[in-house]
Amino acid sequence: MMRFMLLFSRQGKLRLQKWYTATAERDKKKMVRELMQVVLARKPKMCSFLEWRDLKIVYKRYASLYFCCAVEEQDNELITLEVIHRFVELLDKYFGSVCELDIIFNFEKAYFILDEFLMGGEIQDTSKKSVLKAIEQADLLQEVCDVHLGLL
Amino acid sequence: MPAVSKGDGMRGLAVFISDIRNCKSKEAEIKRINKELANIRSKFKGDKALDGYSKKKYVCKLLFIFLLGHDIDFGHMEAVNLLSSNKYTEKQIGYLFISVLVNSNSELIRLINNGIKNDLSSRNPTFMCLALHCIANVGSREMAEAFAGEIPRILVAGDTMDSVKQSAALCLLRLYKTSPDLVLMGEWTSRVVHLLNDQHMGVVTAAISLITCLSQKNPDEFKTCVSLAVSRLSRIVSSASTDLQDYTYYFVPAPWLSCKLLRLLQCYPPPEDGAVKGRLVECLETILNKAQEPPKSKKVQHSNAKNAILFEAIALIIHYDSEPNLLVRACNQLGQFLQHRETNLRYLALESMCTLASSEFSHEAVKTHIETVINALKTERDVSVRQRAADLLYAMCDRSNAKQIVAEMLSYLETADYSIREEMVLKVAILAEKYAVDYSWYVDTILNLIRIAGDYVSEEVWYRVIQIVINRDDVQGYAAKTVFEALQAPACHENMVKVGGYILGEFGNLIAGDPRSSPLVQFNLLHSKFHLCSVPTRALLLSAYIKFINLFPETKSTIQEVLRSDSQIRNSDVELQQRAVEYLKLSSIASTDVLATVLEEMPPFPERESSILAKLKKKKGPGAVSSTEQEDGKREGGELNGGGERGADSTIAASNASTPSPSADLLGLRSSGPVSAAPPSAGSLLVDVFSEAGPAAPAAAVNDDGFLSSAPPSVVSEDPAPPMPQSDELLHKFVCKSNGVLFENQLLQIGVKSEYRQNLGRMYLFYGNKTSVQFVSFSTSVTYTGELQSHIHELSLNVQTKPVEPLVEGGAQVQQVINIECLTDFSDAPLLNIKFRYGGALQNLTLKLPVTVNKFFQPTEMVSHDFFQRWKQLSQPQQEAQKIFKASHGMDKEVLKGKRIMENFVCAGVIQTKAQQVGCLLRLEPNAQAQMYRLTLRSSKDTVSKRLCDLLAEQF
């Protein structure tokens, strides 16, 4: 089961956080700080997995954003890497060439998409179509932002 | 999906976010936020009712501010209003706010639950999904209480939409994880299992997570899932890549579902049904075959998805550990990955091979990759990969390659990353000890360790080398020579000085014949390091000096002069000063004989689990060192350490060089006489070697004043829960075992270590918090039951607990020591009650403390003739207890060690209690044909016979 997912920028700004177990705010902040430091210090060609506390960290960088998941000991690292990728694909499809700014200005949408994809730390559906169909319900969309850096 | 288009999006929100982003400083940001908060507050408080859109906008702003890391203490009520709205977007934002900012205000929760209830019964699938998401996100006990009964119904109802089923399955999983007692599957079990057959792949994907979790907890009830999972897997594995349409991911059919199916199968042993098993083996072979096929796409997503399935399949093969062919194929496949250009694959291959190395079928196959792994240790650029390589070398090490692996690890240590040095040092030390054939190699290795990475050599490591040298007289001369040489180096690590001081103090005489290492040369060499060392090391060296006076009378005057010098006898450190004064006095007034007795060579150390292994286990966390390894460690350690009685502890304390007075006692006088006060650092030095395993009871009796007092234990419990139904079973697990996991649930794990000597026992309880949240008001108490309580004035057991810390951090472990004195024989175990608050909810559980009367057994040697004579003497009917029962573990394994006479097993022992000693005789007669045993116990006390008979009968 995934314990939490974090999206943060290269500058160490947290863009999205999703916690799948009850965690005190104070602990969350501490963990985020610690983990960002560890991940940001790693070089590009390094392996995408690392052991951290009693968890496995799986992370991948897309353009300026780091997607970082904490999973449990028995979870599969490679498939978690593809959970991240599928989430990026969903964001990309929804926003149309997604960029960091989309996620900043439409954070609530990013949460809705993530909720349709993962629930309670487990995969709810892996089909892009099903997930996006669920999102279509919300048809009041936010304003376009001008810059598209393109994460993919 | 159209690119994001503007509509009546929340312009105000976008402006606010832009403002925040444009803030030049943290102060400006805070100012802007405070302004906004004031604005929102006034809007919410204003007389004018806000429309839905404005409410949504403001709630969203609050959410944004919260996610920036600021505290938000209002807006919940508006959010609840939103989630009760009929407009989807408003509802959605309302739920999001509540999910992110969970609030435990009970009035609010009542309102939220009300909203959720309405949505769940609305029959509008999108509303239902939102409500289920909210329950899963919050996952609180209150929500479980309100909805745990309803959700299984939604999950299996025939008319539920697929998307709702998916949400319901995962929502239920979340509730099961937080409040398992409230989720009762019962009647739903079979329908939930059959979701594996659902036509909709999304439903299967979601449901399988739930089924896996339920199967782990109730394997028997869910075992029908095995054949369903195998046939589902088989269909996916054999399908063409296009069959599954949207569930095919970069040409790989349903990778997530495949991984989940393979993970589910790991909850069970290999299928018993031949057809099912055949089908599964076929699937596993197909997966292994596919790994050899050329990739269908160059994209990394394709290979990741494919390999994710492969690694999960290998995990299943390792879990079964019964198909040699598949194990070897798995090993070969991983061998290929060891040289793959993807760092991720190399990392995973090293990790996965570590578990393969422990299987007897693949251990040899793993060993063939030794050169590649050594190369990885040397050349990998990523420290986490090197760490995995070091782990694998450790796992694949055996007698045949130990020297090579230890040498490689030592040479790697010279350049190793600081973060992993300590662990590497422990591993090298363990391997050197475990596979030492000749002990000179062992000594060389440890001294090399100290030379190369002295700072990372923990006390346990150098204590251990001393322990082993003391216990093996064939290596003592070599050790003395080697440390002597090592100390010649102009700069040597302080740990080297410690080992050197200790060993020369004990065995310097073995090399004193050589004029190059004559007594005075040895002394001068040690003393040349003295001034550079810390106080504890200096204290140790002073003890070595006094030992020298005994070993080499010719050094007496030189050493006395050193002791007499102002820098010793007036040292500002009280410990050093005391030693100097005492040793000086001892050397001048004691006769040679007395001196020789006091400073006699150390007796062999008692056999224990290697303290280093214990340390590594602690470092890696429970469960990291496999149980086979632990057993190995014990077995090999035993070989190495030859002999040694448990009781030798006391002798150590008595003849310890640093305890100057020969009358230094074990009777608790230690604190009264200033002369006999043992210098704490060195005095406890050798006892500390065992501190991981815990000091033996007699030593404890000295140190702990309260131990022997007969004051009744404090009984602090308001209303402890009744003992758990399984507590008897748990108790029986420990009848013949002194260490292990006493209890485990989702929150808490309780480990036990115990040791007994005569009528005294000491038990260590380890409470591990398995969650990431702290336990507060953690308290434990020990109480008596039944028989014990009725005779409150004649307690059978005197149990003393030390209080535990009231806070247990997430993932942390706290230890509690319990001292037990057996006053008379007893039947009922004391109850251990544990109370703590987890996320606000009080947890209250009661277990039986695994103290049974047989723990106070001491074996007696007896020839068979004596045995039967005594047997006949105890022939009164009330002295005997007998049971005839069916063998529950098969007959080949014998739990009892005893003398074998014909087809009978007999044992003799004495139960030690404070009041009396109860001699017991036991006879076990197996009947292999009927698979039955007859167990007969005779003792001088009827209650003892009966209780022992009851206890031991459960063990066969």
Side-chain angles (χ1 to χ4, degrees):
Chain A
M1 160 192 174
M2 190 181 291
R3 296 279 192 86
F4 58 85
M5 184 192 259
L6 304 176
L7 268 66
F8 51 85
S9 69
R10 221 159 30 137
Q11 291 75 32
K13 288 256 186 207
L14 188 60
R15 295 305 182 200
L16 198 75
Q17 48 174 321
K18 183 78 190 179
W19 301 79
Y20 292 108
T21 48
T23 315
E25 282 307 318
R26 199 165 40 101
D27 297 337
K28 283 184 190 173
K29 281 182 185 161
K30 191 162 163 255
M31 287 161 89
V32 168
R33 211 171 34 236
E34 204 181 307
L35 198 56
M36 280 205 287
Q37 213 169 24
V38 173
V39 171
L40 289 173
R42 291 176 62 88
K43 301 196 182 71
K45 281 285 165 194
M46 281 188 169
C47 135
S48 315
F49 320 126
L50 53 121
E51 281 179 342
W52 183 76
R53 300 191 179 184
D54 59 336
L55 299 172
K56 293 199 232 181
I57 303 298
V58 178
Y59 73 94
K60 189 161 178 179
R61 186 177 149 185
Y62 289 87
S64 58
L65 264 191
Y66 282 86
F67 289 70
C68 177
C69 298
V71 296
E72 292 172 349
E73 173 60 31
Q74 69 274 14
D75 287 316
N76 188 312
E77 290 97 337
L78 284 174
I79 208 76
T80 309
L81 209 47
E82 295 318 299
V83 166
I84 293 176
H85 188 76
R86 178 49 41 118
F87 179 46
V88 174
E89 284 183 353
L90 289 166
L91 292 172
D92 198 63
K93 189 97 181 211
Y94 180 78
F95 288 108
S97 188
V98 66
C99 67
E100 194 180 332
L101 283 180
D102 289 325
I103 294 170
I104 296 170
F105 280 92
N106 303 285
F107 67 96
E108 80 284 10
K109 299 287 180 200
Y111 272 107
F112 297 149
I113 294 172
L114 185 59
D115 271 351
E116 288 299 329
F117 178 43
L118 294 176
M119 183 167 166
E122 299 283 357
I123 293 266
Q124 182 169 208
D125 204 328
T126 61
S127 151
K128 250 195 277 193
K129 266 188 218 152
S130 309
V131 175
L132 291 175
K133 202 172 87 194
I135 301 295
E136 274 169 29
Q137 312 288 346
D139 43 9
L140 285 172
L141 298 171
Q142 308 248 332
E143 288 180 354
V144 197
C145 53
D146 308 317
V147 194
H148 283 289
L149 296 173
L151 291 180
L152 272 175
Chain B
M1 177 73 46
V4 181
S5 64
K6 64 185 172 87
D8 51 347
M10 290 179 280
R11 186 165 186 89
L13 176 65
V15 170
F16 175 60
I17 295 175
S18 299
D19 280 2
I20 295 288
R21 285 175 54 75
N22 291 335
C23 286
K24 294 278 184 291
S25 65
K26 194 78 197 164
E27 289 71 34
E29 186 185 308
I30 290 172
K31 209 171 146 200
R32 178 68 184 88
I33 285 170
N34 284 338
K35 187 179 150 206
E36 193 63 39
L37 285 176
N39 173 40
I40 298 172
R41 226 184 272 268
S42 75
K43 294 282 189 215
F44 283 168
K45 282 206 181 129
D47 306 327
K48 216 174 74 188
L50 289 172
D51 58 13
Y53 169 79
S54 312
K55 244 186 240 167
K56 186 177 81 173
K57 183 179 73 186
Y58 293 129
V59 165
C60 246
K61 282 183 182 175
L62 286 179
L63 197 54
F64 182 79
I65 294 170
F66 177 76
L67 291 169
L68 283 176
H70 301 269
D71 291 334
I72 296 294
D73 54 6
F74 68 105
H76 295 83
M77 201 44 94
E78 286 72 17
V80 174
N81 279 336
L82 284 175
L83 70 80
S84 315
S85 155
N86 277 327
K87 278 200 182 140
Y88 183 77
T89 51
E90 290 173 14
K91 195 182 269 303
Q92 208 180 15
I93 296 286
Y95 272 125
L96 179 64
F97 185 92
I98 295 299
S99 302
V100 176
L101 279 110
V102 186
N103 188 304
S104 54
N105 175 332
S106 58
E107 177 60 14
L108 198 69
I109 285 178
R110 206 178 51 76
L111 289 171
I112 296 168
N113 280 357
N114 229 0
I116 292 176
K117 200 166 281 167
N118 289 337
D119 283 335
L120 282 184
S121 53
S122 70
R123 311 203 126 268
N124 174 337
T126 50
F127 286 11
M128 287 172 88
C129 283
L130 280 180
L132 290 167
H133 274 128
C134 181
I135 301 172
N137 275 322
V138 177
S140 67
R141 182 113 194 133
E142 289 89 346
M143 288 215 172
E145 275 163 1
F147 303 109
E150 174 68 12
I151 296 169
R153 219 185 307 275
I154 298 175
L155 175 60
V156 297
D159 56 348
T160 306
M161 298 270 290
D162 289 331
S163 60
V164 179
K165 270 191 198 167
Q166 289 168 278
S167 301
L170 293 177
C171 181
L172 195 58
L173 171 61
R174 175 70 206 272
L175 294 185
Y176 184 74
K177 282 188 172 167
T178 49
S179 315
D181 53 316
L182 295 177
V183 178
L184 303 167
M185 294 312 291
E187 47 183 320
W188 313 112
T189 304
S190 114
R191 295 170 75 180
V192 169
V193 171
H194 276 88
L195 288 173
L196 285 176
N197 269 340
D198 202 285
Q199 291 181 333
H200 191 278
M201 292 281 274
V203 173
V204 190
T205 309
I208 194 166
S209 296
L210 173 67
I211 296 169
T212 306
C213 180
L214 291 169
S215 299
Q216 276 162 350
K217 297 288 179 296
N218 326 283
D220 284 340
E221 287 154 52
F222 283 84
K223 65 174 179 243
T224 47
C225 70
V226 172
S227 60
L228 292 179
V230 170
S231 62
R232 189 94 213 190
L233 180 68
S234 162
R235 268 179 283 157
I236 297 172
V237 169
S238 56
S239 65
S241 52
T242 49
D243 286 359
L244 301 173
Q245 297 158 0
D246 222 22
Y247 291 89
T248 295
Y249 180 80
Y250 291 86
F251 303 102
V252 181
W256 280 279
L257 184 52
S258 306
C259 285
K260 290 257 173 205
L261 286 164
L262 289 161
R263 158 92 8 223
L264 171 60
L265 290 170
Q266 286 168 59
C267 303
Y268 289 93
E272 281 158 18
D273 180 333
V276 176
K277 187 168 182 200
R279 210 165 169 199
L280 178 56
V281 168
E282 219 169 89
C283 287
L284 294 172
E285 280 170 345
T286 314
I287 293 170
L288 285 167
N289 291 341
K290 278 190 179 171
Q292 298 298 329
E293 288 169 10
K296 293 195 175 73
S297 155
K298 283 210 172 69
K299 286 249 166 76
V300 69
Q301 283 75 27
H302 171 72
S303 77
N304 278 351
K306 196 167 128 179
N307 292 328
I309 301 172
L310 178 64
F311 275 105
E312 210 57 67
I314 290 175
L316 181 62
I317 293 169
I318 296 171
H319 167 76
Y320 285 163
D321 198 13
S322 61
E323 300 283 331
N325 172 37
L326 290 176
L327 280 163
V328 171
R329 282 193 66 183
C331 184
N332 294 340
Q333 182 60 55
L334 294 177
Q336 288 181 17
F337 284 155
L338 285 182
Q339 317 213 35
H340 202 280
R341 61 187 166 77
E342 278 272 331
T343 316
N344 289 346
L345 285 181
R346 293 199 302 276
Y347 175 94
L348 293 174
L350 288 166
E351 185 182 61
S352 193
M353 259 201 185
C354 248
T355 40
L356 265 182
S358 58
S359 162
E360 54 171 321
F361 300 112
S362 48
H363 184 76
E364 288 303 316
V366 170
K367 273 166 64 187
T368 59
H369 299 289
I370 185 165
E371 298 301 334
T372 320
V373 182
I374 287 173
N375 199 35
L377 186 64
K378 286 179 179 160
T379 58
E380 281 290 350
R381 273 193 259 157
D382 183 347
V383 54
S384 47
V385 185
R386 289 197 295 273
Q387 167 90 60
R388 289 283 87 83
D391 287 348
L392 178 53
L393 281 180
Y394 179 74
M396 66 161 71
C397 190
D398 62 17
R399 235 170 253 293
S400 71
N401 55 18
K403 286 204 173 172
Q404 184 188 8
I405 287 180
V406 166
E408 292 294 350
M409 285 173 109
L410 270 177
S411 78
Y412 171 62
L413 204 50
E414 305 209 28
T415 53
D417 314 76
Y418 296 107
S419 56
I420 66 173
R421 279 194 185 186
E422 192 184 349
E423 202 184 315
M424 289 284 294
V425 166
L426 285 174
K427 286 184 165 162
V428 170
I430 290 168
L431 292 179
E433 180 184 334
K434 204 166 156 184
Y435 299 115
V437 196
D438 72 272
Y439 289 90
S440 47
W441 174 69
Y442 171 75
V443 170
D444 284 342
T445 305
I446 302 295
L447 293 185
N448 263 330
L449 267 185
I450 296 175
R451 199 174 47 75
I452 294 169
D455 283 345
Y456 298 91
V457 173
S458 56
E459 289 179 335
E460 288 84 354
V461 173
W462 72 262
Y463 286 172
R464 188 72 182 158
V465 70
I466 286 175
Q467 244 179 64
I468 284 172
V469 170
I470 301 252
N471 285 8
R472 306 279 316 188
D473 41 15
D474 53 341
V475 76
Q476 289 160 357
Y478 181 80
K481 184 166 155 281
T482 319
V483 288
F484 179 78
E485 277 160 14
L487 286 173
Q488 307 282 345
C492 54
H493 195 272
E494 191 162 332
N495 280 337
M496 188 71 89
V497 179
K498 288 179 184 163
V499 175
Y502 199 102
I503 289 185
L504 291 180
E506 291 292 322
F507 308 113
N509 55 329
L510 298 176
I511 56 168
D514 188 325
R516 284 168 297 175
S517 53
S518 70
L520 263 176
V521 175
Q522 286 185 39
F523 171 73
N524 286 332
L525 180 60
L526 281 180
H527 201 54
S528 70
K529 314 285 182 197
F530 189 91
H531 303 281
L532 300 169
C533 291
S534 64
V535 170
T537 308
R538 289 189 196 189
L540 185 147
L541 284 177
L542 288 179
S543 296
Y545 297 169
I546 186 77
K547 285 226 151 192
F548 266 45
I549 292 186
N550 177 45
L551 287 179
F552 317 116
E554 65 266 40
T555 59
K556 186 170 172 178
S557 59
T558 318
I559 291 176
Q560 280 183 331
E561 207 168 304
V562 168
L563 292 175
R564 204 177 289 127
S565 72
D566 276 357
S567 63
Q568 307 300 348
I569 211 156
R570 290 174 193 216
N571 195 294
S572 60
D573 185 273
V574 63
E575 174 67 41
L576 292 178
Q577 190 187 99
Q578 187 177 358
R579 282 193 193 210
V581 171
E582 289 174 6
Y583 291 163
L584 184 60
K585 204 70 190 159
L586 178 68
S587 69
S588 39
I589 60 169
S591 69
T592 330
D593 286 350
V594 170
L595 210 57
T597 316
V598 175
L599 301 171
E600 200 184 0
E601 193 180 301
M602 298 296 289
F605 285 84
E607 188 39 49
R608 292 281 170 78
E609 177 187 17
S610 161
S611 49
I612 320 176
L613 199 59
K615 164 126 183 179
L616 184 69
K617 266 184 260 170
K618 200 164 119 194
K619 214 175 146 56
K620 284 287 212 168
V625 181
S626 68
S627 57
T628 45
E629 190 168 358
Q630 289 176 28
E631 281 161 25
D632 266 10
K634 277 183 201 147
R635 194 176 62 231
E636 307 278 354
E639 234 168 83
L640 185 75
N641 234 344
E645 284 285 296
R646 266 185 100 81
D649 282 321
S650 42
T651 1
I652 291 167
S655 71
N656 192 327
S658 58
T659 308
S661 159
S663 68
D665 54 271
L666 289 165
L667 304 173
L669 300 173
R670 236 174 167 186
S671 49
S672 56
V675 177
S676 67
S681 56
S684 56
L685 183 78
L686 295 164
V687 180
D688 279 352
V689 173
F690 306 116
S691 61
E692 292 292 350
V702 173
N703 297 332
D704 181 6
D705 291 334
F707 187 71
L708 291 172
S709 73
S710 53
S714 54
V715 179
V716 235
S717 64
E718 288 159 82
D719 42 354
M724 313 181 58
Q726 68 267 43
S727 59
D728 269 319
E729 196 185 315
L730 295 171
L731 181 72
H732 283 130
K733 236 175 61 185
F734 279 88
V735 168
C736 291
K737 212 167 92 162
S738 47
N739 302 338
V741 175
L742 175 62
F743 170 77
E744 182 158 13
N745 67 9
Q746 294 188 320
L747 306 177
L748 181 72
Q749 186 192 51
I750 307 176
V752 174
K753 251 185 186 177
S754 54
E755 49 194 21
Y756 296 87
R757 242 178 85 74
Q758 300 188 325
N759 70 322
L760 302 178
R762 174 169 272 212
M763 183 175 285
Y764 296 80
L765 293 174
F766 301 89
Y767 303 98
N769 180 347
K770 291 171 66 181
T771 69
S772 48
V773 185
Q774 61 178 200
F775 295 162
V776 296
S777 331
F778 190 90
S779 73
T780 66
S781 62
V782 175
T783 49
Y784 296 118
T785 51
E787 159 211 57
L788 292 176
Q789 208 156 36
S790 62
H791 300 94
I792 196 88
H793 297 295
E794 300 170 53
L795 287 175
S796 309
L797 281 177
N798 178 11
V799 180
Q800 303 220 328
T801 54
K802 307 204 167 156
V804 278
E805 297 275 324
L807 265 190
V808 186
E809 293 295 336
Q813 196 184 54
V814 296
Q815 180 187 338
Q816 184 177 32
V817 183
I818 298 182
N819 289 324
I820 304 151
E821 186 188 14
C822 177
L823 303 174
T824 65
D825 67 286
F826 59 99
S827 305
D828 285 357
L831 294 184
L832 169 69
N833 176 254
I834 298 145
K835 273 193 246 174
F836 59 92
R837 284 186 178 275
Y838 167 69
L842 177 71
Q843 308 286 325
N844 183 349
L845 40 104
T846 301
L847 299 162
K848 291 196 173 173
L849 211 56
V851 184
T852 44
V853 71
N854 65 306
K855 300 284 184 195
F856 301 95
F857 239 130
Q858 285 218 309
T860 322
E861 286 283 330
M862 210 177 271
V863 296
S864 60
H865 171 75
D866 285 354
F867 181 87
F868 285 104
Q869 196 165 13
R870 283 174 205 228
W871 184 262
K872 280 185 205 126
Q873 281 166 6
L874 293 168
S875 57
Q876 290 171 35
Q878 70 270 24
Q879 291 174 330
E880 181 179 285
Q882 192 173 68
K883 272 200 171 182
I884 299 172
F885 51 90
K886 206 150 183 69
S888 48
H889 302 300
M891 284 242 171
D892 51 344
K893 281 182 276 172
E894 281 311 328
V895 188
L896 291 176
K897 286 179 198 147
K899 209 163 248 179
R900 204 174 159 187
I901 306 168
M902 306 295 284
E903 290 298 303
N904 286 343
F905 296 87
V906 298
C907 306
V910 178
I911 298 270
Q912 304 275 355
T913 75
K914 198 183 179 199
Q916 67 183 119
Q917 300 191 335
V918 186
C920 306
L921 301 175
L922 172 157
R923 191 166 172 179
L924 178 73
E925 297 155 282
N927 179 339
Q929 262 182 334
Q931 290 282 303
M932 303 278 279
Y933 286 110
R934 181 164 72 187
L935 176 69
T936 316
L937 256 302
R938 286 188 181 180
S939 76
S940 47
K941 210 169 171 193
D942 53 344
T943 46
V944 173
S945 304
K946 176 153 183 350
R947 181 60 185 156
L948 277 177
C949 191
D950 290 345
L951 281 174
L952 296 175
E954 295 288 333
Q955 302 300 316
F956 294 96

